[in-house]
Structure formats: structure tokens, C-alpha cells
Amino acid sequence: MRLKLVPAETNWDFFRFSTLAMIGSGAAVIASIVLFFMVGLNFGIDFRGGTTIRTEANSPVEVGEYRDALDALGLGDISITEVFDPTFAEDRHVTMVNIQAQEGEESVSPDMIAAVEAALQEVDPTITFPSVESVGPTVSGELVQTAVLAVMLAIGAVLIYIWLRFEWQFSLGAVAALVHDVILTIGVFCLLQIQFDLAIIAALLTIVGYSLNDTVVVFDRVRENLRKYKKRELKEVLNLSINETLSRTVMTSVTTLIALISLYVLGGDVIRGFVFAMIWGVVVGTYSSVFIASTVLEKLGVKRDWSKPDGGAGTQFSNVDA
Amino acid sequence: MLNIPTWNRVLIWGVVVLGLAFAMPNLFYDRVERRNDAVTAIEEAGGDPADLAGDLGGWPSYLPSSLVNLGLDLRGGAHLLAEVQVEEVYEARMDSLWPEVRNTLRDLRAEVGGIRRQDAPAGELHVLIGNSEGMATALAAVRELAQPVVSLTGVGASTLEVEARGDVIVIRLSEAERAATDNRTMIQSVEIVRRRVDEVGTREPTIQRQGQRRILIQVPGIGSAEELKRLIGTTARLTFHPVTGRATSADAEAPAREMIVPDRDNEGLFYRVESSPVLTGEMLTDAQPSFDQNGRPAVAFNLNTTGSRIFCDYTQNNIGAPFAVVLDGEVITAPEIISAICQGSGQITGSRNVAESTELAVLLRAGALPAGLTFLEERTIGPELGADSIAAGEIAAVVAGIAVLVYMGLSYGLFGLFANAALIINVGLIFGLLSLIGATLTLPGIAGIVLTIGMAVDANVLIFERIREELKTAKGPARAIELGYEKARSAIYDANITTFITAVILFTMGSGPVRGFAITLGLGIITSVFTALYVTRLILVIWFERRRPKKIEV
């Protein structure tokens, strides 16, 4: 007996929910954009400049006492976050201290770090500082640019690839889906105020890759079925293709989620935000490749005459292993 | 389709075995690392093999011994991003040009009149001439001092831009020369930072030029970024200046083109010296710790030809006058010139002890940084934090692996087991490739591997689902397997190429940990496609040939 999360044969009408999905997704996208402008992302020092000090102590942390000790130094905006992790031992108390970039200074001065460390040691003599990281404002500005550029480039490259392999309608459908995923991920980071640093950009690009992976598999089947059922309506073909690939879609999403969830729980607090972004991305990516990408494709329509290559850029290449 | 030629089989198994062989040393990380360190110690530092026999014996030499490098976030260490102040070089160039300009124009005094250097913006030299009618002659004479630019792109251009602004001659480096100078400054800076880091002798430091004027320095195992900054942040710029007088405070008024320099040992003692040095550290060919005639520690140095000529001329003309040896803006000694020194060597006295003279000799030998460094980014990661991350990553990877294996087994039965074997081989191959290309594993890199464990089964899932579908149309098991592979292929390629594109973009645009993630993700895609299309298929075919089942269930 096999474990099956999806019946062997399904014939669900996904397009029955397409209007609902479009409205829901549209609302979520708008909400994310509003959140981004109203609340904003909780940028880490990679993007904002400043210093992050990780502290570890044996006695419980009194964030208030830490704050009092540090406020006396007059370093401007300081945030202190206590970190909890199931993998920590009972007497391990970790915080992250974020200090804003100091006026007129590229990099932190050693004196400042020494002063901060001394002040905290005053509060708790057992305290240690496993990591101290600081990024100057010039570099952080460039990192923001590079990050935005990287995401745009990835989306652009994918747009072109799918256009070459399929048709432009497929390309737009896929890109709509992954822009949706990226925006929703940024939205959820705004909402939960999880620290947004360089690693999250890596996660975003992975989401782009993953979301695409799913979409492409569905589209590949659509292309095949369009050739097979020349007379059937596009909507029907799309629905059939989604149903045929559904078992695979669920299977892959579940294995990926299994791996990611174990990393989320056991992988330590340093990469938790990163893993969270990817888990969210897999869930949203799976949803969007089924509902968003196909719906966009259905609305745009598609050229049906696959048998006669017309010499267009798309079809020549797409026949290579057809 | 189900007939795989023997050479093909051999090739597939060969790749698998080779990949796993390269991955294997990572299972014995400590032992192999100790052995590799011992080998390096013997080859480079001339260590005694007998002393290191224990470490050497830890790993047989006929087995592969390359390891995955651990990134700073896993091993602990310091990371610095430094920006080289390339403009400082322009200033130094202008300062050293002044005596030449002065001498040239003095020879033309009749036509040009008296000359005076004026204060100028950084990187420019302004010379006021007494007789404005001689300007054309003066300009021509100064232009004579320029040389053709030595660089690939700047061929034909001159090193100097000389123009008249009223009675003032304005001299600055030309655009082409600036570019060429910047490039030389960067190459030199990287080299000098490397030499200094090598002096400390830590394992596998990364020293890379980044962009136009930055250097990335990563040193594993060093206590803190502060320590590293002290080591490479010292400019170690040595200059010899004529002394014009003494002063009592740093704020004392200095005449034009002179500067006040503090004495290193006597607080409150300051020298007034000419801003343009007679000699600079670049003219040194060697420096060794030694002793002066009174038995006090000193540093003996040799000068190159230009240096010894200048030094000879200067000492001959200035017997009895004091001159100052200045290191990074502090006078370390200011002796009087007793006699002309023309043999091209000399001694710097004034070291407090042997340790200090030795250190000074090392810094002088390694060379001065051509320009100062500012630090844009610095990160220190403690070794304990790295060890915690590795431990957590390992546990997560093992749990993820087992969960995926069980799930695949439950979902696809025997076929799931085939895919599982391929998955294990896949992870082995990733490590093999990482070791082979000497890539660096970072914490996000571990996440990349875990993600790959989840996604690697995708290709197999695509194939198995396809075989299931083909079985429904009842073509017999052999035909179904064949069609399953054939039809799943285009989806596998498209899906993986798109993910690979994003990995490549991440790799090119990202840095540090993000790059580590991109590498494992990219390699994971390659190995998972290979294992799904070749390894699983081969296992499946071998099984099929032996059993010849009439019916299969996927």
C-alpha cells in the first residue's frame, strides 16, 4: 500500500476558484505593498549599516538592564532582541544588540565596541560576545542596490528563458506568479518584522527558482497536452495538465517542506529567518504555480498550432526534444 | 532505452565512485586536516617529518585529501573590507615631483623669475612664477618632466597635465596616469596585505581585490577583526626628511611646505621638517635587524640605485645638518649627517629593543602600504558560534535526510528505495565536488544542501509519476519505464535550468555566505539531475534485467 496525499486520478476544476484566487492574491499583493510603505522592512545591518553584537550569558537576560547600560553611552538608536531557540541549553541566554551606524564614521571604532562590551560586562560578568559585525553606510547602500539588481536580473533572465522555450504568454504567466511570490514574501517580512538581511535575498532568489520550477513543470505538461488535444478548449487543457501534475507538485512540495521544517526547528537561530523565507516561498510558490500562472496564461490565450513551426523565436527551440 | 551500453555503465559508476572518494575525507575532517597541515609544514616551513609522523599517519597519502573549506561563519575568524585611499598616492607623487620642478625652473631663473610653491588642493601642485612672460618656457620645461603612461589602456598619454592659471603653473596627474596609478596602488596594497597576513601564518586566508579600490580580507582562526586591523592597518611608511627646527607642540605654526612631526619616544618633543621627503621606503631593497657601533639595536638597510644616488648627493651637501627618519608620522630618530653616505646602505638607530628592530625590519621588508586603508565592513565570528552552527546544521541535515527517505519509501515502495540510494549518492557527490573545486561551505551553504535534499527527489518524482501514468495505458512495464524517462526529460531540464539560472545570478552578484549558498544550490542541481537521469535509471535497469517483472507498481 502506498502513501498517497493526492488520489491517483483527480479531476478537480481549478478554474472554479480562479476568480477567487485572483481576488485573494490581488488583495494580498496590495496589502504587502501597503505594509512595505507604511511599516517597512526590519533591515539588518547589511542594508542599513551599523553594528550587531551577539551576546551570550549564563544568567537570564534583563533587556531593560542592558538597555540602561547602553543608553548611557549615547550611541543613538539601539535595539536589543532576546533570542530563543529550542536547541539552546537551559542556562544559555542569547541576545542580539543592534547599534545604528554612527554619524560620520565608515566603520565602527574599536573604542565604541570596547565601551559597549565593558558596559554589558558590568551588567553581567559571565557575558561573552561570540560575534561582532559591523557594516559601514557606503557598503550597505551598495548591498541594497546589488540585491535589488540581483532579483530583477533573475526575473528578467527567467522571463527570457521561458519565452525561448515556450511562448511569451507562458513567460508572462510564470513571471506574474513569481513576482506575486516575491511581493508576498516581502509583505510577510514587513508584517512579522523579521530581520531582513543579505541571506534573505538569497532566499528570495531561491523562491524565484522554486516557484518557477513548479510553474515550468505544469507548463511543460500544458505544452504537451496542447499538441495532444488540439480540439479541446484551452481552459480544459490547462485544468487537465494541472490535475495530471498535481501528484508530483504535492510530492515535491512536501519533501522540500520536510527538509526545510527540520532545518527551521533544528538548524539554529542564525539561519532561522532565512529558512522561514524559504518555507513561506515554497507554500506560496506551489499555490501560485497552480492558480496564478495558469490563470494568467488562460486569460492571455495561446497559439494552438504547434504542429507547424512558423519560424518564430519560440517554437524552433522548443521543438528540440518534443 | 532500457539497454544501457557497458561503457556507459562503467562511466556512470566511475563518476559515482570518484565523487564519493573525493567526498570521503570530509567524514574524517580533523584527521585529514591535521595531516594536510603537517604536509604544508614540511613543504613550506621545512618541518621535521619525524616530529609530525603522528599527524601524517592519520590519513594515508594515496587517498584523496582535499577537504571542503569551512567559511568564516562556521569556523570563526575575522572578515574585513578595506578601501584603499588611492588619492593619497597622487599627493605623494606631487610632493616628490616638487624638488624636480624646483630644480628645473631654477635653471631657467633668468627667464622665469623667482618661483614659489603655493598651497594647492590635494593631488595638485601649484607653482607661482615671478616673471609671467616666461610662462611658455616654464610650461614647456615642466612638460618635459612628464613621461609616457605605462599601462595597456593609457598608451600614448602623458603622465602629467600641466596648465597655466595666471602666473601659476598647475600640475596634476593626467586621467590615464591616475587610472594606471590606481591599478598599481591596488596590486601593491593587496600584495603587501598578503605578505603581512602570511607573516602571522594562519590557515588559508582570503585576500582579494574587490572592485576598483577595495580589498576583502578573511582570516580564519584569528581572534578578532581588531587584531587583524592592527596588523594590516599600519601603513609602515618610512621617509627621510631634512630637519629645519624644533617645536614644542603639535599646533605650532609651521612655515609653508614644512610640517610638525612628533617624536615617538619623547612626549612634548616635536620636529619641524620639510614636507617633501628626501628618501622613501620604496627605495629600500632590504632591511635587517642589526646593531649600531654602540651595540644598540638598529635596522640596517640597503638602497636601490636611485635611492643611493639621491642619498649620496644629499648627505654630501648637508654635512652637519640633522635629518629625521619618520615612520607613519612619528620621528623615530633624527641624527646629524656626519659624512657623505654613498655606498647605498645605512642604519636606522633608535629602536628600543631587539624585538622592535626586528618588527620594523619585517614591516620595511614587507613594504609600506602605498596608501592608507579605511575599513568599511568588519565582522568577527567566534569559533564556538561556528561550531554550534555546524552541529545544528548536521543534525538538521540528518533529520531532513531520514524524513525524506522514509517519505519516499512510503510513497513509491521499491522505486522510492532506488531514488533514496540516488539521494544518498547525490549528497556524497555534492561534497565531492565541493572538495574538488576547493569551494567554501558556509551556513547558508548547509541550508542549500538541505534544500537540495528536499528538491533532489523532484526529478525522480517527475519520472516516477510519469511511469505511473504510462502504466495506466498498459503498455507493459519496460515500455512504461522507457516512456516515463523520455517524457519527463523536458520538464526536468526546464525546471532545473531555470533554478540554475537563479543560482548563477546569486553567485555572480552575491558575496560571502550568499555565494556559499549559490554554490551548493548550483552543484546540487547538477548532481541531482545526473543522479536522477543516470544513476537511478541504471539501478532501475539492473533491477529490471535481473527480475524481468511482468508487472510493476510504482
Side-chain angles (χ1 to χ4, degrees):
Chain A
M1 194 49 222
R2 298 278 191 268
L3 173 71
K4 282 201 180 88
L5 297 182
V6 176
E9 209 150 331
T10 56
N11 194 14
W12 295 332
D13 183 8
F14 286 97
F15 282 87
R16 220 175 65 208
F17 312 108
S18 75
T19 322
L20 193 67
M22 286 308 248
I23 291 171
S25 288
V29 165
I30 291 168
S32 297
I33 294 173
V34 169
L35 270 175
F36 179 75
F37 285 108
M38 301 298 284
V39 185
L41 285 165
N42 174 15
F43 285 115
I45 55 162
D46 289 337
F47 296 129
R48 203 187 42 183
T51 304
T52 298
I53 301 174
R54 184 184 170 96
T55 70
E56 283 196 27
N58 293 334
S59 40
V61 171
E62 290 293 338
V63 173
E65 283 180 34
Y66 279 29
R67 179 169 293 286
D68 291 342
L70 294 180
D71 277 346
L73 300 172
L75 294 170
D77 187 20
I78 292 175
S79 76
I80 300 164
T81 335
E82 211 175 337
V83 179
F84 300 98
D85 194 279
T87 59
F88 287 169
E90 193 102 329
D91 63 343
R92 194 167 160 204
H93 302 277
V94 177
T95 64
M96 299 297 270
V97 178
N98 276 302
I99 302 166
Q100 73 172 50
Q102 299 298 301
E103 196 78 22
E105 278 183 51
E106 236 350 292
S107 171
V108 279
S109 62
D111 303 343
M112 186 197 98
I113 294 187
V116 169
E117 293 190 353
L120 291 177
Q121 243 143 11
E122 197 94 333
V123 177
D124 186 342
T126 65
I127 205 164
T128 55
F129 307 98
S131 81
V132 179
E133 306 188 48
S134 97
V135 179
T138 321
V139 175
S140 61
E142 290 167 10
L143 288 176
V144 173
Q145 283 176 11
T146 321
V148 172
L149 192 63
V151 174
M152 309 280 269
L153 259 182
I155 293 177
V158 156
L159 191 87
I160 293 172
Y161 181 80
I162 298 191
W163 178 41
L164 286 175
R165 286 289 280 166
F166 297 85
E167 290 281 310
W168 64 269
Q169 294 93 336
F170 288 79
S171 183
L172 281 187
V175 167
L178 59 94
V179 167
H180 164 266
D181 300 344
V182 169
I183 291 180
L184 286 198
T185 308
I186 291 177
V188 89
F189 270 76
C190 288
L191 186 67
L192 302 178
Q193 287 293 300
I194 303 170
Q195 187 157 312
F196 195 87
D197 51 30
L198 263 189
I200 307 297
I201 296 291
L204 273 183
L205 282 178
T206 317
I207 293 169
V208 169
Y210 185 88
S211 158
L212 221 66
N213 193 319
D214 255 9
T215 310
V216 165
V217 169
V218 176
F219 281 4
D220 182 79
R221 186 57 71 99
V222 172
R223 181 170 61 185
E224 185 184 326
N225 282 339
L226 281 173
R227 289 190 195 113
K228 204 149 122 196
Y229 309 105
K230 294 203 166 73
K231 295 282 168 311
R232 285 218 207 166
E233 235 184 283
L234 177 60
K235 195 187 244 180
E236 247 180 279
V237 175
L238 282 169
N239 208 29
L240 175 72
S241 308
I242 296 174
N243 274 298
E244 282 177 352
T245 51
L246 190 63
S247 154
R248 171 269 161 194
T249 306
V250 172
M251 185 79 202
T252 301
S253 298
V254 170
T255 51
T256 311
L257 281 176
I258 287 176
L260 286 174
I261 288 169
S262 64
L263 195 60
Y264 184 79
V265 178
L266 302 167
D269 67 289
V270 182
I271 50 168
R272 187 148 298 145
F274 175 70
V275 178
F276 172 78
M278 291 211 280
I279 291 177
W280 172 259
V282 168
V283 174
V284 179
T286 308
Y287 156 82
S288 74
S289 60
V290 170
F291 288 98
I292 308 295
S294 315
T295 311
V296 171
L297 187 57
E298 197 257 335
K299 297 271 182 275
L300 288 173
V302 106
K303 184 173 67 84
R304 296 298 297 271
D305 191 5
W306 290 87
S307 52
K308 283 180 273 172
D310 62 359
T315 42
Q316 278 181 344
F317 194 29
S318 59
N319 278 338
V320 170
D321 52 17
Chain B
M1 185 71 188
L2 290 186
N3 297 318
I4 304 177
T6 317
W7 67 269
N8 225 323
R9 296 178 185 212
V10 172
L11 201 67
I12 294 169
W13 287 130
V15 170
V16 170
V17 169
L18 215 62
L20 295 184
F22 276 108
M24 186 183 49
N26 293 298
L27 289 176
F28 309 93
Y29 204 93
D30 279 342
R31 221 193 278 180
V32 181
E33 186 169 52
R34 272 205 304 281
R35 183 253 173 198
N36 289 352
D37 287 349
V39 170
T40 330
I42 292 166
E43 279 172 4
E44 282 180 13
D48 183 3
D51 291 347
L52 300 164
D55 288 344
L56 279 179
W59 188 251
S61 56
Y62 52 84
L63 288 176
S65 61
S66 35
L67 291 169
V68 172
N69 292 326
L70 296 180
L72 281 191
D73 54 349
L74 296 180
R75 164 166 271 167
H79 161 118
L80 287 177
L81 182 66
E83 189 161 78
V84 181
Q85 302 301 302
V86 289
E87 295 86 4
E88 285 183 14
V89 178
Y90 309 154
E91 280 177 60
R93 285 279 295 272
M94 286 300 118
D95 281 341
S96 62
L97 188 66
W98 165 237
E100 277 188 71
V101 173
R102 186 178 54 196
N103 294 342
T104 313
L105 294 181
R106 257 185 204 158
D107 296 342
L108 301 168
R109 181 175 287 243
E111 257 181 284
V112 177
I115 49 167
R116 217 169 69 216
R117 183 175 175 185
Q118 285 191 320
D119 289 328
E124 286 187 6
L125 180 60
H126 288 194
V127 182
L128 178 74
I129 59 171
N131 182 0
S132 52
E133 275 147 38
M135 183 52 96
T137 326
L139 286 183
V142 174
R143 287 203 179 104
E144 283 289 297
L145 294 174
Q147 281 142 8
V149 175
V150 187
S151 80
L152 289 176
T153 46
V155 179
S158 151
T159 49
L160 296 179
E161 254 174 43
V162 185
E163 60 176 22
R165 204 177 284 163
D167 287 348
V168 178
I169 307 174
V170 176
I171 307 167
R172 72 175 87 80
L173 294 180
S174 67
E175 204 59 44
E177 177 62 7
R178 278 173 192 238
T181 306
D182 288 356
N183 197 33
R184 276 199 298 275
T185 309
M186 286 307 298
I187 293 171
Q188 236 176 326
S189 303
V190 170
E191 182 53 35
I192 284 159
V193 167
R194 185 188 310 281
R195 279 193 228 159
R196 292 190 187 173
V197 173
D198 282 348
E199 294 274 342
V200 205
T202 57
R203 184 187 291 130
E204 298 185 26
T206 309
I207 296 148
Q208 263 170 9
R209 178 169 175 182
Q210 239 181 23
Q212 285 299 311
R213 44 189 292 181
R214 291 188 184 156
I215 308 176
L216 174 74
I217 305 135
Q218 291 187 323
V219 183
I222 202 161
S224 74
E226 267 330 297
E227 220 173 290
L228 185 59
K229 253 163 93 173
R230 262 206 307 282
L231 177 70
I232 59 176
T234 323
T235 322
R237 190 172 150 72
L238 181 79
T239 45
F240 291 58
H241 299 261
V243 175
T244 53
R246 291 196 175 190
T248 47
S249 87
D251 306 323
E253 190 96 349
R257 262 96 49 213
E258 286 188 13
M259 55 184 190
I260 305 286
V261 186
D263 189 88
R264 190 186 54 173
D265 295 324
N266 303 309
E267 209 170 310
L269 174 61
F270 297 87
Y271 291 92
R272 254 175 41 216
V273 302
E274 279 185 26
S275 307
S276 303
V278 179
L279 280 185
T280 64
E282 287 107 72
M283 298 173 185
L284 258 55
T285 52
D286 191 22
Q288 292 295 337
S290 72
F291 295 93
D292 65 6
Q293 56 270 51
N294 299 322
R296 284 178 308 209
V299 176
F301 61 85
N302 290 319
L303 291 166
N304 63 14
T305 2
T306 329
S308 42
R309 205 196 56 222
I310 296 174
F311 202 44
C312 182
D313 288 352
Y314 180 77
T315 47
Q316 227 156 25
N317 298 333
N318 293 282
I319 290 177
F323 78 102
V325 179
V326 178
L327 182 73
D328 287 341
E330 285 179 332
V331 174
I332 49 174
T333 178
E336 270 178 24
I337 300 164
I338 301 164
S339 60
I341 303 172
C342 290
Q343 68 274 36
S345 63
Q347 253 186 357
I348 301 169
T349 54
S351 296
R352 291 179 210 127
N353 49 43
V354 179
E356 202 182 276
S357 64
T358 313
E359 193 187 291
L360 179 58
V362 165
L363 283 175
L364 291 180
R365 253 204 326 274
L369 286 171
L373 300 176
T374 47
F375 295 95
L376 303 181
E377 197 183 321
E378 50 180 286
R379 298 172 195 262
T380 309
I381 290 124
E384 319 82 35
L385 186 60
D388 286 352
S389 296
I390 295 184
E394 267 174 11
I395 296 173
V398 168
V399 171
I402 291 172
V404 170
L405 293 182
V406 169
Y407 181 60
M408 282 297 282
L410 288 177
S411 299
Y412 295 110
L414 186 62
F415 279 57
L417 296 185
F418 293 158
N420 286 344
L423 179 61
I424 294 167
I425 291 174
N426 185 33
V427 174
L429 287 181
I430 294 179
F431 272 97
L433 276 174
L434 282 174
S435 317
L436 195 63
I437 63 175
T440 301
L441 187 65
T442 58
L443 187 54
I446 294 181
I449 292 176
V450 176
L451 181 70
T452 310
I453 293 175
M455 284 175 72
V457 293
D458 182 50
N460 280 316
V461 169
L462 276 167
I463 294 164
F464 294 165
E465 292 291 333
R466 199 71 209 215
I467 295 177
R468 266 187 194 170
E469 281 176 49
E470 297 303 325
L471 278 173
K472 282 182 210 155
T473 44
K475 286 166 188 138
R479 182 78 188 133
I481 293 174
E482 197 178 323
L483 280 176
Y485 270 95
E486 215 168 276
K487 292 194 170 170
R489 182 169 296 163
S490 85
I492 292 175
Y493 279 141
D494 281 336
N496 284 289
I497 287 174
T498 44
T499 314
F500 193 73
I501 290 175
T502 56
V504 170
I505 289 175
L506 259 184
F507 181 78
T508 15
M509 311 280 294
S511 65
V514 174
R515 213 166 223 216
F517 173 74
I519 292 174
T520 50
L521 186 67
L523 291 181
I525 292 167
I526 296 173
T527 55
S528 69
V529 170
F530 169 77
T531 48
L533 288 185
Y534 297 98
V535 181
T536 331
R537 197 176 104 197
L538 187 54
I539 298 175
L540 220 157
V541 167
I542 291 173
W543 166 78
F544 196 83
E545 280 169 351
R546 296 227 173 138
R547 291 290 166 82
R548 292 271 158 211
K550 292 270 177 297
K551 242 183 82 182
I552 55 171
E553 195 196 351
V554 180

